[in-house]
């Protein structure tokens, strides 16, 4: 350490510090921050923009079309890199920053690191009130950026240049912590961005990070092993944390040694190959009959790297009330849910320790055979479900066509609406870690923007593979401009737009709860006198993409082959039926809340039917 200093603005110090951060991944040293997404405005262009210009070659800045979509792209980038690398997003003060709120919530829910560098009002308050400032009469320090406290794992407002010295390392430590991982938000008042300070030169020396692996407590391992050793029908729930810990091989080996069936969460899809004999399928509301049958019959559930959200647990009806849960998770909060026996620690180290403690134990062969037989029945259902011509055009048929033609290392992206369920239930995993179904925040618009972010990350490691996006017409209409972004940046995607005339999956939920179709499909919206369809092909073509409409799964297959051979983004549009063609099996109960009283007999009947299943719900234990 020396007394040498370097005089920089706050903005310059932030960007120079980011540029000096590296991480070791699989023996290779790479820059921790892959760059950023930015839309400039008066709140970030003059100072932060100036700082970014000088380092544009090492911290590439992708020009966004919408701040929310930038955040989605950054989240998908981090997910591809298994939370070992991140992107920043910079937005101007006011609406530019507020547009990031939804993306921050998505990243927080999914435990994904993104760094938000957002403009703020002037610290001196001398020019107040300024353009786009929200004034709170009784609290002049309170503003729009304070709203991000609820959706950030780390939040700070830089009120003096020296604070960068503590704030940036703390933000990065949070984003790299397996237990606390999530978005970091740093508010940057417009005047403070340009203020200068004599920073210690050592702050900007290159640093190589490593992600902490926490060893579980031996007593927790012993307790978990004792419970599992007594199990006659154990099952492993493999969540997204298995991949983030890079513990896929260890969990697979653990299952094989102890003969324990594995079921996957939505975030944990692609933990095991489709053909692995102990892969019993996806569990929960959007799962498989096979996994749900095993979950219901299990006496001990070993949850690894899952936050056990309601789509996994069937609103806590998927498991027997007397089943015991062991939860191995890096986050204490997740490990202790529903009075689970917690094992707090890294999945890779934890499963190894648990394996040692369970030496000699194997689940009964009859249990494994039951699980495998259930999976074979599910395989037969899926094979029929995705078969072209078995009914009108469907999501499942589109999934089947792409699954049969894609490369095993292609990446699949889906998010809101009916497609997450259809992809989760029907997709056959061809290789590990190739599926990104964002169903933590279930956010419309993630599909195309997340596809762009995933493709940016994919092009760094697997440039010859493709990113394949499944998108409904509703999500497309909500956020589609990153088709243009992908063409501009030459980050090719293949986007399937499956048009069912509105929000068809919510219409299905509406009908399934006894309600009449209302305000979801265009044809059932009273304020639309004369509904008509959007020309998605013309729209996508106007953004520079190849675009084609197909009429059936056979034509979809030919269009997909052409898209694979193309050198830029292709959008393939196919109409699907809004009523027929849904995957009807593989669902558990899901609590959504239905009217206790209604003038409509159909609503009252469905309420009684749904409430009758509540008796199976575990009440917090």
């Amino acid at each position: 350490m020396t007394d040498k200093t370097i005089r920089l603005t706050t903005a310059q110090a932030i960007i120079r510090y980011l540029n000096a951060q590296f991480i070791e991944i699989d023996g290779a040293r790479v820059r921790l921050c892959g760059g950023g997404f930015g839309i400039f405005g008066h709140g970030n262009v003059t100072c932060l923009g100036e700082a970014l210009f000088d380092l544009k070659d090492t911290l590439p800045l992708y020009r966004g079309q919408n701040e929310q979509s930038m955040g989605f792209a950054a989240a998908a980038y981090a997910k591809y890199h298994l939370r070992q690398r991140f992107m920043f997003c910079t937005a101007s003060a006011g609406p530019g920053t507020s547009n990031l709120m939804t993306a921050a919530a998505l990243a927080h829910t999914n435990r994904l690191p993104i760094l938000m560098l957002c403009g703020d009002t002037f610290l001196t308050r001398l020019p107040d009130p300024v353009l786009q400032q929200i004034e709170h009469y009784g609290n002049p320090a309170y503003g729009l950026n304070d709203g991000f406290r609820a959706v950030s794992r780390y939040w700070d407002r830089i009120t003096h240049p020296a604070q960068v010295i503590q704030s940036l390392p703390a933000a990065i430590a949070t984003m790299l912590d397996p237990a606390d991982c999530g978005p970091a938000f740093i508010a940057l008042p417009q005047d403070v961005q340009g203020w200068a300070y004599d920073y210690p030169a050592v702050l900007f020396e290159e640093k190589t990070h490593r992600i902490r692996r926490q060893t579980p407590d031996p007593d927790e391992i012993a307790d978990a092993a004792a419970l599992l050793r007594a199990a006659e029908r154990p099952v492993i729930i493999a969540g997204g944390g298995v991949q983030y810990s890079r513990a896929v091989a260890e969990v697979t080996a653990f299952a094989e040694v102890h003969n324990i069936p594995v079921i996957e969460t939505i975030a944990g899809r692609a933990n095991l190959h489709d053909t692995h004999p102990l892969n019993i399928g996806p569990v929960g509301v959007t799962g498989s009959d096979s996994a749900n049958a095993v979950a219901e019959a299990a006496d001990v559930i070993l949850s690894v790297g899952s936050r056990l959200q309601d789509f996994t647990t069937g609103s806590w009806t998927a498991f027997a009330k007397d089943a015991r849960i062991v939860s191995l998770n890096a986050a204490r909060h997740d490990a202790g849910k529903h009075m689970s026996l917690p094992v707090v620690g890294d999945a890779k180290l934890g499963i190894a320790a648990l394996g040692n403690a369970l030496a000699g134990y194997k689940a009964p062969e009859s249990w494994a055979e039951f699980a495998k037989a259930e999976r074979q029945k599910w395989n037969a259902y899926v094979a029929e479900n995705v078969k072209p011509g078995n009914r009108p055009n469907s999501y499942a048929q589109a999934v089947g066509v792409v699954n049969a033609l894609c490369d095993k290392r292609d990446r699949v992206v889906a998010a809101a609406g009916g497609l997450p369920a259809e992809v989760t239930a029907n997709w056959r995993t061809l290789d590990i870690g190739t599926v990104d179904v964002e169903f933590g925040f279930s956010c419309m618009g993630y599909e195309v923007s997340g596809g762009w972010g995933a493709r940016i990350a994919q092009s760094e490691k697997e440039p010859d593979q493709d990113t394949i996006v499944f998108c409904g017409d509703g999500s497309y209409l909500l956020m589609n401009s990153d088709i243009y972004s992908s063409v501009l940046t030459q980050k090719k995607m293949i986007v399937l737009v499956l048009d069912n005339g509105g929000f068809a999956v919510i219409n299905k939920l509406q009908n399934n709860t006894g309600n009449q179709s209302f305000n979801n499909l265009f044809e059932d919206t009273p304020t639309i006198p004369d509904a008509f369809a959007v020309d998605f092909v013309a729209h996508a073509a106007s953004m520079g993409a190849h675009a084609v409409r197909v009429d059936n799964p056979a034509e979809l297959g030919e269009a997909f082959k052409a898209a694979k051979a193309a050198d830029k983004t292709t959008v393939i549009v196919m109409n699907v039926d809004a009523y027929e063609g849904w995957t009807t099996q593989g669902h558990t109960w899901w609590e959504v809340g239905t009217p206790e009283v209604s003038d409509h007999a159909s609503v009252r009947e469905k309420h009684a039917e749904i409430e009758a299943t509540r008796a199976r719900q575990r009440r917090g234990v």
Side-chain angles (χ1 to χ4, degrees), residues 18-23 25 29-35 57-60 77 84-86 206:
L18 286 178
N19 194 57
Q21 307 308 302
F22 291 79
I23 188 167
I25 302 175
R29 183 173 177 267
V30 297
R31 190 163 266 107
L32 175 63
C33 179
D57 292 333
T58 51
L59 289 177
Y77 179 94
Q84 295 171 293
R85 302 187 73 199
F86 68 86
E206 292 185 356

Side-chain angles (χ1 to χ4, degrees), residues 49-279:
E50 185 269 348
L52 285 164
F53 177 82
D54 290 334
L55 292 173
K56 61 182 180 295
D57 292 333
T58 51
L59 289 177
L61 184 67
Y62 290 88
R63 182 194 177 283
Q65 318 304 326
N66 177 293
E67 290 86 359
Q68 180 174 314
S69 71
M70 294 188 331
F72 291 162
Y77 179 94
K79 189 171 186 181
Y80 178 93
H81 282 298
L82 301 177
R83 307 195 306 194
Q84 295 171 293
R85 302 187 73 199
F86 68 86
M87 298 279 268
F88 66 83
C89 295
T90 178
S92 185
T97 288
S98 64
N99 282 345
L100 271 170
M101 181 76 75
T102 301
L106 177 143
H108 192 285
T109 303
N110 287 284
R111 321 300 207 243
L112 294 171
I114 62 174
L115 175 63
M116 292 168 283
L117 303 173
C118 296
D120 206 343
T121 52
F122 290 86
L123 187 69
T124 65
R125 304 181 193 161
L126 292 175
D128 287 7
V130 300
L131 179 68
Q132 300 174 335
Q133 180 177 352
I134 295 173
E135 294 182 89
H136 284 268
Y137 305 148
N139 187 350
Y142 191 61
L144 179 142
N145 288 356
D146 293 274
F148 280 81
R149 295 176 189 265
V151 291
S152 301
R153 289 286 188 173
Y154 179 87
W155 188 98
D156 196 8
R157 174 177 283 120
I158 303 299
T159 59
H160 188 280
Q163 292 172 349
V164 170
I165 299 171
Q166 285 80 31
S167 187
L168 261 292
I172 287 176
T174 301
M175 290 188 290
L176 292 182
D177 190 297
D180 291 338
C181 184
F185 182 94
I186 299 181
L188 299 171
Q190 294 168 64
D191 46 2
V192 178
Q193 286 185 45
W195 292 355
Y197 182 74
D198 294 319
Y199 289 95
V202 69
L203 181 67
F204 308 106
E205 292 180 357
E206 292 185 356
K207 178 178 180 179
T208 301
H209 296 264
R210 294 177 181 84
I211 294 177
R212 178 185 302 110
R213 288 191 181 276
Q214 180 180 342
T215 302
D217 182 85
D219 289 338
E220 291 186 346
I221 289 290
D223 289 344
L227 189 58
L228 280 164
R229 191 175 288 280
E232 296 181 358
R233 300 179 304 279
V235 66
I236 298 168
I237 294 180
V242 173
Q243 292 181 39
Y244 293 143
S245 178
R246 281 82 70 208
V248 167
E250 287 77 8
V251 170
T252 303
F254 178 92
E256 292 169 347
V257 168
H258 302 293
N259 201 34
I260 301 177
V262 179
I263 55 182
E264 294 181 327
T265 70
I266 299 173
R269 290 293 273 119
N271 274 325
L272 271 71
H273 288 91
D274 175 73
T275 55
H276 193 287
L278 289 172
N279 181 357

Side-chain angles (χ1 to χ4, degrees), residues 338-373:
H338 263 245
M339 295 186 69
S340 297
L341 195 160
V343 180
V344 180
D346 174 69
K348 179 179 282 200
L349 299 182
I351 208 71
L354 198 52
N356 291 335
L358 270 179
Y361 168 81
K362 294 192 76 167
E365 186 61 33
S366 59
W367 170 241
E369 290 305 317
F370 164 76
K372 293 174 184 177

Side-chain angles (χ1 to χ4, degrees), residues 514-516 595-605 607:
N515 291 280
Q516 294 184 38
E596 188 174 348
V597 295
S598 174
D599 292 336
H600 303 281
S602 59
V603 173
R604 295 194 303 271
E605 290 168 5
H607 173 75

Side-chain angles (χ1 to χ4, degrees), residues 276-301:
H276 193 287
L278 289 172
N279 181 357
I280 310 304
V283 66
V285 178
T286 58
S288 58
D289 285 346
S290 51
N292 289 332
V294 169
E296 184 177 1
D299 57 357
V300 177
I301 297 119

